[in-house]
Each structure stands twice: as structure tokens, then as C-alpha cells.
Amino acid sequence: MIPSTDKPRESRLDPAALADLVAKGKEASLAGKTADYIPALSRARSEAVGVSVCLADGSIIEAGDSRSPFTLQSVSKALALPYVLDTIGEDRVFARVGKEPTGDPFNSIIRLEASAFKKPFNPMINAGAIAISSLMPGRTGKEKAEGLYGFASRVLGLEAGKTAAMDKEVFASEAATANRNRFIAWFLKDLGIMEGEVEEGLDAYFRQCAMCVTAVDLSRLGSCLALDGLEPRSGRELMSRRAARVTKALMLSCGLYDGSGEFCVDAGIPAKSGVGGGIVAAARGRLGIGTYGPSLDLRGNSIAGSIVICALSEALDLFEL
Ligand code: GLN
């Protein structure tokens, strides 16, 4: 017998239910550790866990360290992509970056040379994201990042007139140690993929990765993606429907690097992680989720965030596939 479809179960969500998930996430976090290849990230409190859910009407339900700031890192790839899609157009973006998952770690360089496909496989890995940053309007890294920060302040739902802050220490720490990302960028230049000066594209990339956010901010971004680009509550268009859909499709297939397949099987919704400990997830037409938990698994994904999002997907029947 085909089971009857329940009504959406958002009514089951309350801060106490989220607090239980936070406790589970905290316990599991003991098995991981904070990122340390960017020295400033290793100072995060590894036991911190926060979750925020933003419903389509804009209301927020949150628990734990949901207002603790951390840096976006690779979650910024889910912001940079719609920004660039809407700014320079889909054709120009995908002339330089593919749409295929790799199954490799986020900073892998192996396919750049070994594959016959002479461009980064997708915008959710470092190679693709660095190429995307180089495509942002503006000549210098600072100018490029300014446009993205402006876009971010709207989709993260910051108060009018407020712009997200950049964590200068994390920015400097990454810029000083990013040998592998520099290698990737120069190799992309050789392939004719980087636009403009290599160091300016890299500078823009480091700036976007160092953007300070909270789990609450990420849940608003998730909700905007879930609503195909509309601002929760007001319904104002913050990104085009096409940009939101393209971004979600690539989040689903590539958003958790070489853990994307497993996460998709368990959570069934598009998501994007970062080594700062954040994950954003979007459940179509229903809600956005933002999580924070800087203790990472071996692939660089937040342990607590993955657990919390999978549990929410199960409890609220968010699975989209
Ligand atoms: N800034 C980081 C880097 O480029 C982001 C990586 C990540 O979050 N996976 O290495």
C-alpha cells in the first residue's frame, strides 16, 4: 500500500528538539578535530555545536552555538556561484568550470592535469571556486570580494545597511599558507581558465572564505535557496530562480566533496560544507538549515552538522529524491 503523505512536520520543530540534536552532535564531535592546515582555524572550540532552521515565513528556530561566528570557507562556494551566475551569466561560467562530481578531496589537483577535460570539474571544489572568484566583476581581489559581500549581506538576511565582516586573522593565515591553492590557480592560468591577475583572483577567494557568519545566517541562505531565490517572508527576489536551482543541483552532487554521495543518501537534500565548521542545507519550498560544528571528519565535513541535518531530514521528511 502506498503510504499517505503526511502534512509537513515543521510543527514538530522546537528549540528543545533541536537542543537534543545539538547534544548528539557534541558527543559525536569528540571523534574529529578542527582544521589546522589554515593555522587560525585550529583555534576554534572543537566542542561548539549550533543549529538554526529558517522556515519559509522567515521565522527562526535555533539551539546551541547558533550565534557563534565562524568563517564560511567552502560554504562560500554556494554563495559565489549564484552571485557569478547572475552577474556574468551561465554560459561564461560553465565555459570555464564543469558540472561533474569528482569523488576526490576538495583541494585535489590530480584531475586538472590527468583528465582530458581541461577545466575544473565543478564549482564546489577549490579549483572550480578559484576560477569562479577570478570571474567576479572587479579588477582587484578586494573589488571582486566587495560585490560578493554585498550580495551576501542580502541573502544571509543581515540587517539593512549591514555587511558581513571579514575575519582578518583567518584571511591572513590562509593567504600566508595557501601553497596548494596557489598551485591550483597558476595551473588554471596555464589552462587559460583564470580571468585577470592570478593573485587578485586568489585574493578574492581568500576574502570570500574568511567571511564571518553564524548558523542563523546560513539558515537564511538555505531558506532563500529552498525558495528558489526568494527572501523568506518578504518573497523579494534575491537571486534568480535559475541561479538557485543550478546551485542546489551542484550542492546535491558535489557539496560535501568526496562525502557527497554518502550525505545525499542519508540526508537527501542539497547542502554545502566548509572547513570552518559550517554547513548550509536547503529543503525545497520548506526551510533552510544552518549548522556549526568545527570538529571535522577525515573529509573535512562537520561531524555535528552532518548528524544534525540527517536527523532533521528524517524527522521532518525532507528527503527530496
Ligand atoms: N579556504 C579553504 C581552502 O581553500 C576552504 C576549504 C574548505 O572549506 N573545504 O582550502
Side-chain angles (χ1 to χ4, degrees):
M1 195 178 88
I2 299 171
S4 64
T5 43
D6 282 356
K7 277 204 292 249
R9 304 176 199 173
E10 274 80 338
S11 55
R12 291 193 193 163
L13 257 187
D14 62 51
L18 288 186
D20 284 347
L21 294 180
V22 165
K24 287 201 179 88
K26 260 190 206 300
E27 206 181 307
S29 291
L30 295 172
K33 63 184 190 65
T34 55
D36 55 8
Y37 75 100
I38 298 173
L41 292 183
S42 65
R43 288 195 270 284
R45 285 185 302 120
S46 59
E47 71 284 4
V49 177
V51 54
S52 171
V53 174
C54 178
L55 303 180
D57 65 2
S59 55
I60 298 278
I61 306 153
E62 58 187 302
D65 299 293
S66 51
R67 307 263 169 175
S68 297
F70 56 94
T71 54
L72 265 185
Q73 300 303 330
S74 280
V75 181
S76 68
K77 293 164 181 161
L79 260 183
L81 179 60
Y83 170 63
V84 172
L85 285 171
D86 278 346
T87 315
I88 70 165
E90 197 171 330
D91 292 347
R92 275 187 68 198
V93 172
F94 290 114
R96 298 191 186 225
V97 184
K99 300 171 189 161
E100 304 305 330
T102 65
D104 297 327
F106 62 84
N107 56 2
S108 176
I109 48 187
I110 193 156
R111 282 173 201 264
L112 275 184
E113 192 181 26
S115 153
F117 186 63
K118 292 292 177 219
K119 56 186 186 182
F121 268 54
N122 68 70
M124 300 291 153
I125 53 169
N126 285 15
I130 292 169
I132 298 269
S133 303
S134 83
L135 291 172
M136 289 174 187
R139 196 178 50 80
T140 63
K142 193 158 183 273
E143 284 170 11
K144 289 175 187 295
E146 264 163 18
L148 178 73
Y149 270 65
F151 172 73
S153 56
R154 296 188 288 277
V155 294
L156 298 173
L158 305 186
E159 277 165 44
K162 268 204 165 179
T163 311
M166 185 179 82
D167 185 324
K168 293 198 177 74
E169 195 192 340
V170 171
F171 166 73
S173 182
E174 175 159 27
T177 55
N179 300 325
R180 185 177 271 258
N181 284 335
R182 285 213 158 72
F183 169 93
I184 290 174
W186 281 102
F187 198 83
L188 291 175
K189 182 73 177 173
D190 191 60
L191 294 174
I193 303 273
M194 286 297 274
E195 181 101 9
E197 295 292 326
V198 172
E199 281 298 331
E200 299 303 335
L202 273 169
D203 185 73
Y205 175 72
F206 300 147
R207 286 174 189 274
Q208 75 181 51
C209 287
M211 189 186 296
C212 273
V213 293
T214 65
V216 173
D217 300 334
L218 291 190
S219 67
R220 292 203 189 98
L221 164 62
S223 186
C224 170
L225 288 167
L227 300 174
D228 280 342
L230 304 184
E231 183 173 58
R233 194 172 62 84
S234 75
R236 186 164 62 115
E237 184 178 297
L238 300 179
M239 65 177 79
S240 67
R241 185 180 173 86
R242 177 71 185 162
R245 290 191 164 181
V246 168
T247 302
K248 282 188 285 183
L250 289 163
M251 286 163 68
L252 190 66
S253 55
C254 317
L256 272 79
Y257 328 116
D258 44 335
S260 301
E262 189 176 325
F263 185 84
C264 183
V265 165
D266 292 339
I269 52 173
K272 182 75 205 82
S273 63
V275 293
I279 304 185
V280 61
R284 182 143 202 253
R286 292 181 57 187
L287 51 86
I289 307 172
T291 60
Y292 174 51
S295 177
L296 308 179
D297 65 17
L298 292 175
R299 288 157 164 161
N301 293 318
S302 166
I303 294 179
S306 304
I307 286 181
V308 166
I309 294 169
C310 291
L312 280 173
S313 180
E314 184 65 35
L316 304 176
D317 194 20
L318 302 178
F319 215 92
E320 286 178 5
L321 309 164

